[in-house]
């Protein structure tokens, strides 16, 4: 069963007791992973040293680079015959981060989604359209499972074919919609061009990329819905880690499943409520791939005031990143990924620039790439072939289309300090 809006959440000593019990179980599971055996040994601690929630601070952080180093299955804590699903996230050097799930993991994940969707008002019998990517990206199947768990009739529309999406909302009388906020804006614009009546829509759940309060108000006014922010990360199951309630003021993170810390990203010092820093999360209900003190790279803060809805302490809407990760159409992209692809193409030089724009409410990425001066001929046919080659290589790695503009050697800016290769021109 999942929680619904009438069920009370644990708090105080009861919650802390449950968190400690599950933390100890998680620490024990991590001892099946070579990385954590080494981590504990080098830190001079053993699982028996974790006797209280305060002892969590004795454990060093886990970073995304650590997960990449364990590719593909180095962070599995269970035998492969207990793994029921595999997803991946974007990798920065051509290899993705692998995330795996047991049957219990999938049940827990779907319960978290069900809690969130129930919290914002979806009910059994509602028709729910999931306009998210059904692939290795966790947003599609994760949301789908949770909506089915509460008894919704799920329309797995996926991404694209916007006019058909609008027709389905009209014909099926869809009440709830899930997608990225930028796609929701695009859908809204197309619906207005079609003079489509989307009166059945009441609830929109949007995540996977940053969006503003202005965009929320715009979506709500134009679609006649309540628009809710969603937060998740594949390493922590996927979507469903935190979600807004009807108060629409911060996101509830499920403290019976996650222990949250906010740290200074430079010093690692743990910060208090209302202090902005990097969110560190320890999931305490994962079997296949348990993690300890995972640095998410996301900047937020723990909110001090209790929510009127009674569901416990919230985190603020994300304020940015502590690293150079970009989110383009819901997909994580690192400049180092792009650099890795380009360095494997001999006709390309060492310099590139990335430009991110929002066109008709959808993200567009354009990359200026310098030619290798030893190969540059300037012939249009040669440039066209190379352009196609680069675009294909980038799409294979990023799972995202990017426009490529080839430029002459020496024409892009040079930097004395850290190169600033990304110009994000989106206004959210």
């Amino acid at each position: 069963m999942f929680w619904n809006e009438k069920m009370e959440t644990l708090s105080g000593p009861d919650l802390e007791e449950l968190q400690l019990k599950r933390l100890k179980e998680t620490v024990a599971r991590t001892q099946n992973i070579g990385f954590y055996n080494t981590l504990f040994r080098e830190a001079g601690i053993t699982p028996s040293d974790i006797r209280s929630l305060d002892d969590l601070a004795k454990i060093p952080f886990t970073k995304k680079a650590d997960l990449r180093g364990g590719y593909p299955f180095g962070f599995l804590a269970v035998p492969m015959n207990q793994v029921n699903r595999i997803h991946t996230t974007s990798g920065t050097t051509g290899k993705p981060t692998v995330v795996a799930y047991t049957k219990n993991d999938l049940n827990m994940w779907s319960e978290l989604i069900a809690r969130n969707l129930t919290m914002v008002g979806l009910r059994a019998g509602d028709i729910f359209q999931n306009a998210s990517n059904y692939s290795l990206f966790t947003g599609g199947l994760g949301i789908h499972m949770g909506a089915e768990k509460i008894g919704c009739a799920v329309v797995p529309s996926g991404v694209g074919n916007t006019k058909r999406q609008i027709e389905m909302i009209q014909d099926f009388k869809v009440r709830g919609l899930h997608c990225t906020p930028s796609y929701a804006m695009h859908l809204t614009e197309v619906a207005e061009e079609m003079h489509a009546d989307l009166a059945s829509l009441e609830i929109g759940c949007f995540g996977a990329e940053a969006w503003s309060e202005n965009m929320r108000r715009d979506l709500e006014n134009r679609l006649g819905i309540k628009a809710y922010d969603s937060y998740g990360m594949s390493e922590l199951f996927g979507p469903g880690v935190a979600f807004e309630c009807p108060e629409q003021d911060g996101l509830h993170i499920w403290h019976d499943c996650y222990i949250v810390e906010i740290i200074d990203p430079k010093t690692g010092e743990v910060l208090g409520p209302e202090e902005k820093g990097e969110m560190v999360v320890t999931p305490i209900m994962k079997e296949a791939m348990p993690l300890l003190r995972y640095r998410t790279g996301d900047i937020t803060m723990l909110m001090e005031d209790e929510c009127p809805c009674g569901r416990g302490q919230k985190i603020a809407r994300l304020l940015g990143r502590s690293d150079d990760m970009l989110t383009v159409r819901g997909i994580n992209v690192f400049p180092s990924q792009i650099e890795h692809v380009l360095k494997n193409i001999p006709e390309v030089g060492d310099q590139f620039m990335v430009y991110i724009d929002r066109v008709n409410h959808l993200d567009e990425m354009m990359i200026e790439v310098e030619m290798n001066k030893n190969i540059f001929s300037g012939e249009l046919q040669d440039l066209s072939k190379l352009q196609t080659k680069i675009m294909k290589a980038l799409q294979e790695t990023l799972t995202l289309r990017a426009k490529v503009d080839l430029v002459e050697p020496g024409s892009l800016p040079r930097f004395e300090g850290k190169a600033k290769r990304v110009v994000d021109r989106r206004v959210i």
Side-chain angles (χ1 to χ4, degrees), residues 120-398:
V120 299
L122 286 163
R123 298 291 181 267
D126 286 340
I127 300 175
F128 180 80
Q129 189 157 316
N130 191 20
S132 188
N133 195 347
Y134 279 77
S135 66
L136 293 171
F137 173 60
T138 53
L141 285 170
I143 294 290
H144 185 117
M145 292 187 305
E148 284 188 338
K149 193 157 196 169
I150 62 175
C152 288
V154 182
V155 182
S157 59
V159 295
N161 202 353
T162 304
K163 289 185 178 181
R164 179 63 182 136
Q165 299 254 14
I166 292 166
E167 289 173 358
M168 287 190 288
I169 293 172
Q170 290 181 296
D171 296 344
F172 300 164
K173 306 300 182 192
V174 171
R175 180 166 182 255
L177 172 70
H178 171 254
C179 60
T180 63
S182 57
Y183 186 68
M185 287 297 295
H186 179 65
L187 186 148
T188 302
E189 201 167 63
V190 175
E192 289 171 351
E193 291 172 359
M194 295 171 60
H195 304 289
D197 181 3
L198 305 183
S200 65
L201 269 185
E202 296 180 21
I203 296 169
C205 305
F206 308 124
E209 62 187 22
W211 55 302
S212 66
E213 286 298 320
N214 285 338
M215 185 180 285
R216 187 211 298 274
R217 285 192 291 270
D218 202 7
L219 284 169
E220 290 187 336
N221 291 335
R222 294 166 73 177
L223 289 176
I225 62 171
K226 289 275 280 185
Y228 296 99
D229 197 4
S230 165
Y231 173 78
M233 179 174 281
S234 296
E235 298 92 321
L236 307 178
F237 277 142
V241 176
F243 220 89
E244 285 184 321
C245 71
E247 296 292 326
Q248 295 177 304
D249 180 24
L251 291 85
H252 288 281
I253 195 160
W254 299 107
H255 295 285
D256 63 327
C257 296
Y258 302 101
I259 298 175
V260 181
E261 303 168 273
I262 305 297
I263 66 166
D264 183 313
K266 294 182 178 179
T267 67
E269 175 191 2
V270 177
L271 304 176
E274 304 296 331
E275 292 186 282
K276 297 175 185 177
E278 180 181 355
M279 183 163 62
V280 172
V281 181
T282 299
I284 50 178
M285 285 296 287
K286 293 186 69 184
E287 288 185 341
M289 194 176 143
L291 296 173
L292 298 172
R293 304 194 81 197
Y294 185 66
R295 293 188 62 158
T296 66
D298 292 317
I299 301 297
T300 183
M301 64 183 179
L302 285 167
M303 299 174 69
E304 196 162 33
D305 295 335
E306 290 290 328
C307 184
C309 81
R311 290 183 176 88
Q313 190 174 37
K314 297 181 290 191
I315 60 171
R317 297 186 75 185
L318 299 190
L319 305 169
R321 293 283 304 175
S322 64
D323 56 22
D324 60 353
M325 189 184 81
L326 301 166
T327 302
V328 183
R329 295 201 181 193
I331 296 174
N332 295 340
V333 177
F334 291 83
S336 52
Q337 280 179 288
I338 297 169
E339 184 174 23
H340 176 78
V341 172
L342 297 179
K343 281 187 177 297
N344 285 322
I345 300 175
E347 300 93 333
V348 167
D350 294 328
Q351 303 299 323
F352 67 94
M353 287 292 295
V354 180
Y355 299 90
I356 312 294
D357 292 286
R358 187 153 286 170
V359 180
N360 294 327
H361 306 297
L362 293 177
D363 295 338
E364 298 289 350
M365 181 163 63
M366 191 274 285
I367 305 172
E368 288 185 333
V369 179
E370 274 194 14
M371 299 279 293
N372 186 322
K373 63 181 180 181
N374 296 322
I375 298 175
F376 178 65
S377 69
E379 293 183 14
L380 185 60
Q381 186 176 9
D382 292 341
L383 294 181
S384 178
K385 288 180 180 178
L386 178 57
Q387 190 177 40
T388 301
K389 178 181 178 180
I390 296 171
M391 290 173 66
K392 182 177 179 182
L394 287 167
Q395 185 167 5
E396 287 176 353
T397 295
L398 306 179

Side-chain angles (χ1 to χ4, degrees), residues 76-124:
L76 277 186
V78 299
M80 186 57 72
N81 63 9
Q82 293 182 28
V83 172
N84 278 165
R85 190 187 299 170
I86 296 170
H87 284 278
T88 69
T89 69
S90 298
T92 64
T93 57
K95 291 291 187 181
T97 298
V98 175
V99 288
Y101 306 79
T102 65
K103 186 174 183 178
N104 286 338
D105 286 336
L106 293 174
N107 285 335
M108 187 69 247
W109 184 18
S110 64
E111 177 178 323
L112 290 172
I113 299 291
R115 294 180 187 184
N116 294 322
L117 298 183
T118 299
M119 180 167 63
V120 299
L122 286 163
R123 298 291 181 267

Side-chain angles (χ1 to χ4, degrees), residues 30-45 60:
T30 64
Q31 300 311 294
N32 295 325
I33 301 170
F35 170 84
Y36 282 113
N37 282 314
T38 301
L39 189 77
F40 271 59
R41 184 172 63 251
E42 292 179 349
I45 58 175

Side-chain angles (χ1 to χ4, degrees), residues 15-61:
L15 175 59
E16 292 176 4
E17 182 180 349
L18 179 63
Q19 284 183 323
L20 180 58
K21 173 179 178 293
R22 290 178 171 177
L23 173 61
K24 289 180 177 180
E25 292 169 349
T26 297
V27 168
R29 282 195 290 272
T30 64
Q31 300 311 294
N32 295 325
I33 301 170
F35 170 84
Y36 282 113
N37 282 314
T38 301
L39 189 77
F40 271 59
R41 184 172 63 251
E42 292 179 349
I45 58 175
T46 67
S48 61
D49 292 325
I50 309 303
R51 303 185 186 95
S52 70
L53 293 178
D54 290 338
D55 290 332
L56 181 62
K58 297 177 180 178
I59 303 172
F61 299 115

